[in-house]
Amino acid sequence: MERYLLVIVVGTVGGLLAQRFNVPGGAVVGAMLFSGMTVLFLPKGIFLPSSVRTGIQIILGITLGVSVDRSLLTLGVKIMPMAILSTIVLLTVAVCMAFIANKIGLVDFGTALFGFSPGGMTGMAILAQSENHNGSVVAFFHLVRIFTLFLVIPLLVKVVVYLQHKGIL
């Protein structure tokens, strides 16, 4: 029981610190990194019972559900074609990357596909685990993607806005 409490406390501290210092991915990434590092140092690791994992999934689902806004209804209709096209392109790339990762022996195809697919880190990692794939590896793939995107996208937006302002684009 002490091990669970330790991981919860350390994960909470990590999440709050990451949120406080504007770490890409915020509280989720901080909690995952701190609790993950803690578990690495525990002699037998930690296993969460399925009932606890289900409870966490429900809380995550509710968190995403309450973020829905009525403006999404009108905007959603307008952006639906681009969202579908983007999904098709990203999934095509994800399948190709997963196939390559599997063929060169990095991970099984399912873990790779969950890792390379578009989506949120926590959701995809939990979904991968529920389908008997390696959720930790999936979370790592997404963590690398999120850190990279959080560092590159703001810079890219500034460059494009600057170029648009100068009339170059």
Side-chain angles (χ1 to χ4, degrees), residues 146-168:
I146 287 168
F147 273 141
T148 304
L149 291 175
F150 276 50
L151 295 173
V152 171
I153 296 296
L155 178 61
L156 185 59
V157 168
K158 287 177 184 174
V159 168
V160 169
V161 168
Y162 175 78
L163 293 174
Q164 286 176 333
H165 179 71
K166 293 292 184 181
I168 298 171

Side-chain angles (χ1 to χ4, degrees), residues 11-75:
T12 300
V13 168
L16 292 173
L17 284 172
Q19 189 74 24
R20 168 73 174 91
F21 291 105
N22 298 315
V23 171
V28 170
V29 170
M32 183 181 76
L33 287 174
F34 275 59
S35 62
M37 286 187 295
T38 302
V39 170
L40 287 176
F41 291 105
L42 294 174
K44 296 180 182 176
I46 283 188
F47 176 76
L48 290 177
S50 62
S51 60
V52 172
R53 286 196 307 263
T54 299
I56 292 169
Q57 290 175 33
I58 290 169
I59 291 169
L60 287 171
I62 291 169
T63 301
L64 293 172
V66 298
S67 70
V68 172
D69 174 303
R70 286 189 190 275
S71 66
L72 182 61
L73 295 174
T74 55
L75 179 61

Side-chain angles (χ1 to χ4, degrees), residues 2 4-6 22 25 28 56 58 64 74 78 81 83 94 99 102 104 113-114 120 122 127-128 143 163:
E2 299 85 28
Y4 290 107
L5 185 58
L6 173 66
N22 298 315
V28 170
I56 292 169
I58 290 169
L64 293 172
T74 55
K78 293 177 187 174
F99 182 75
N102 179 249
I104 63 175
L113 187 56
F114 280 109
T122 52
L127 186 57
L143 181 65
L163 293 174

